[in-house]
Structure formats: structure tokens, C-alpha cells
Amino acid sequence: MKFLKDFVRWFFYITTAVLFICAVDFSLWGGDLIPKSTLWQILLSGFLTAALTVLLFPGEGGSRGRIFFQCLAHYGALCAVMIVSGHQFGWLEYSFGGIAMMLVSVAGVYVICLGLHYLVDLRYADKINRRLQEKYGEKES
């Protein structure tokens, strides 16, 4: 059940971030219309990267160095999946510029998703702390 819950959460974060990055990319460099197939491709890429994230994203615990290298490995795996699927979808050409742009786009999605993850966790921790304070705070005084 935890896998499914984490998958849905990451799918939402990633798909939202990909849509945001695509909107920026289309505004800056794209045409006026987004092909219908792109919406399905965004959903599929969100599905693939959410599954990868649930499997590879570093959990809690461990040293900072270990978490850093796990994040690098996770980012590298995401880039590999997005470069291959992006080429299949016609989003990029196998060239230095195309791959560099995909690396930057994946980094943008990564930053947005980590920000969302942090904000949601911060809010959840605050909610837990308030409930603990309500339950136990008055007894200690």
C-alpha cells in the first residue's frame, strides 16, 4: 500500500512539474500548439519516472554523502529514461544541445518536485507537532 501511495504522490508531483517545464519550454522555444500526443507522452513519462523515483529515491537515514550519491544516481537514472523516451517521443534529437536541454529540464523537474516534497512534509510535520502539543503540551505545565 505504501508503494502505491508513494507512487501516486510522486506521479502527481512529477507530472505537474513536467507540465510546468513544458509550458516554459513551449513559451520560449516552441510553437503555438501542443500536439495531442504530447499530453499522453507527459503522462507516460510521469508514470515511468514516478515508478523509478519510488524505487530509487533515497529514504530517510544514512549519511549525507550516501544520500547525495543516491540522489545523483537517481537523477542520472531519470535523465537516462527521459533522454531515451524523449527521443522516442520526438522531444529531442541525440545531439549535444538536445541532451543538454533534457538534462536541464530534468533538473528543473527535480528541483520543483523536491520543493513540493519538502513543503508537504514540512506542513505534515507541523500538523503532527500541533496535535502533539494539544495532547501533551498542557499536561507538562
Side-chain angles (χ1 to χ4, degrees), residues 20 27 34 40 51-52 62 66 71 73 77 87 105 107 122 141:
F20 180 78
S27 295
I34 297 174
W40 289 107
L52 195 60
R66 181 174 182 228
C71 284
H87 180 70
S105 295
L122 189 65
S141 298

Side-chain angles (χ1 to χ4, degrees), residues 2-16 18 42-57 74 77-78 81-82 109 113:
K2 182 177 176 357
F3 179 86
L4 183 60
K5 182 180 174 184
D6 288 344
F7 175 82
V8 169
R9 179 179 58 167
W10 283 112
F11 178 77
F12 175 75
Y13 292 166
I14 291 167
T15 305
T16 302
V18 169
I42 289 170
L43 290 174
L44 179 59
S45 67
F47 179 87
L48 293 172
T49 54
L52 195 60
T53 298
V54 172
L55 295 173
L56 296 180
F57 192 71
H74 176 240
L78 292 175
V81 166
M82 287 307 299
V109 170
C113 290

Side-chain angles (χ1 to χ4, degrees), residues 55-75 110:
L55 295 173
L56 296 180
F57 192 71
E60 296 177 18
S63 68
R64 284 186 181 191
R66 181 174 182 228
I67 291 172
F68 175 75
F69 284 112
Q70 285 177 323
C71 284
L72 280 179
H74 176 240
Y75 173 74
Y110 207 87

Side-chain angles (χ1 to χ4, degrees), residues 122-139:
L122 189 65
R123 190 170 149 198
Y124 184 67
D126 185 48
K127 183 178 176 181
I128 290 172
N129 286 333
R130 275 188 277 121
R131 287 190 178 169
L132 287 171
Q133 184 66 30
E134 290 170 3
K135 185 171 183 175
Y136 298 110
E138 296 174 11
K139 292 180 182 180

